[in-house]
């Protein structure tokens, strides 16, 4: 019995030292869907790094202020679009699929939006999409939250 307990402790120690049991916040991990993922609460610095290194396909979370509301993208799946400004000054285009998730309403310039979704690089600061659940259940879902209302 003592030998088995010792083996279990040794296995857990090796696993922890390899970093498998830690959420390091800034570290990224590969998900089953092939999307890089940051720990909950991605920082503006992490989002700036993604922009600077032109990264794509990375799950992030954060908070920004609505700077401008754009017209819906109606080609293919419809997307509600708006620009968020982070505290760092970086801007993000949010493309929220309204064929899958409810439209964020009401929404106005100056509103604070908490988001989770997939970051894609673009020259203006980046795009956040997959801000909704995956109806097929194969992709990590995201969300948009304004006040106490969540849209996913």
């Amino acid at each position: 019995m003592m030998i088995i307990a010792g083996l279990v402790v040794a296995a857990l120690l090796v696993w922890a030292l390899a970093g498998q049991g830690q959420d390091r916040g800034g570290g990224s991990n590969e998900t089953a869907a092939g999307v890089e993922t940051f720990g909950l609460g991605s920082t503006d610095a992490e989002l700036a790094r993604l922009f600077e290194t032109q990264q794509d396909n990375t799950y992030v979370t954060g908070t920004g202020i609505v700077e401008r509301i754009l017209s819906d993208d109606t080609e293919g799946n419809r997307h509600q679009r708006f620009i968020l400004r982070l505290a760092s000054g970086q801007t993000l285009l949010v493309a929220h699929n309204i064929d899958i998730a409810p439209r964020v309403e009401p929404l106005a310039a100056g509103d604070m939006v908490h988001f989770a979704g997939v970051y894609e690089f673009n020259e203006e600061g980046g795009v956040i999409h997959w801000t909704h659940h995956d109806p097929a259940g194969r992709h990590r879902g995201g969300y948009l939250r304004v006040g106490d209302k969540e849209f996913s």
Side-chain angles (χ1 to χ4, degrees):
M1 184 68 135
M2 193 80 139
I3 293 173
I4 293 173
L7 290 174
V8 168
V9 168
L12 288 172
L13 181 60
V14 168
W15 185 60
L17 289 174
Q20 298 300 310
Q22 301 175 29
D23 179 3
R24 293 176 290 242
S28 63
N29 302 310
E30 188 74 16
T31 66
V35 173
E36 288 289 318
T37 177
F38 281 105
L40 291 177
S42 302
T43 65
D44 284 8
E46 290 167 335
L47 289 159
R49 185 186 62 77
L50 292 173
F51 175 69
E52 290 166 8
T53 58
Q54 300 184 9
Q55 294 296 303
D56 284 321
N57 208 29
T58 304
Y59 189 89
V60 296
T61 63
T63 302
I65 302 295
V66 176
E67 182 168 282
R68 191 167 29 135
I69 297 175
L70 306 173
S71 62
D72 289 352
D73 176 1
T74 58
E75 302 214 6
N77 290 333
R78 297 174 309 133
H79 288 79
Q80 180 181 15
R81 301 179 313 146
F82 54 94
I83 305 292
L84 287 181
R85 182 164 300 276
L86 305 178
S88 66
Q90 180 178 350
T91 58
L92 298 171
L93 168 64
V94 175
H96 181 62
N97 189 323
I98 53 176
D99 285 334
I100 295 176
R103 175 182 293 281
V104 179
E105 290 184 315
L107 185 67
D111 286 349
M112 180 180 292
V113 176
H114 302 280
F115 61 86
V118 175
Y119 175 89
E120 301 291 340
F121 171 80
N122 76 9
E123 297 290 333
E124 288 79 36
V127 177
I128 303 294
H129 66 108
W130 276 100
T131 55
H132 53 80
H133 70 284
D134 178 4
R138 293 185 308 251
H139 194 283
R140 182 176 182 176
Y143 62 84
L144 296 172
R145 189 176 307 126
V146 179
D148 62 352
K149 294 174 89 175
E150 186 169 298
F151 305 86
S152 61

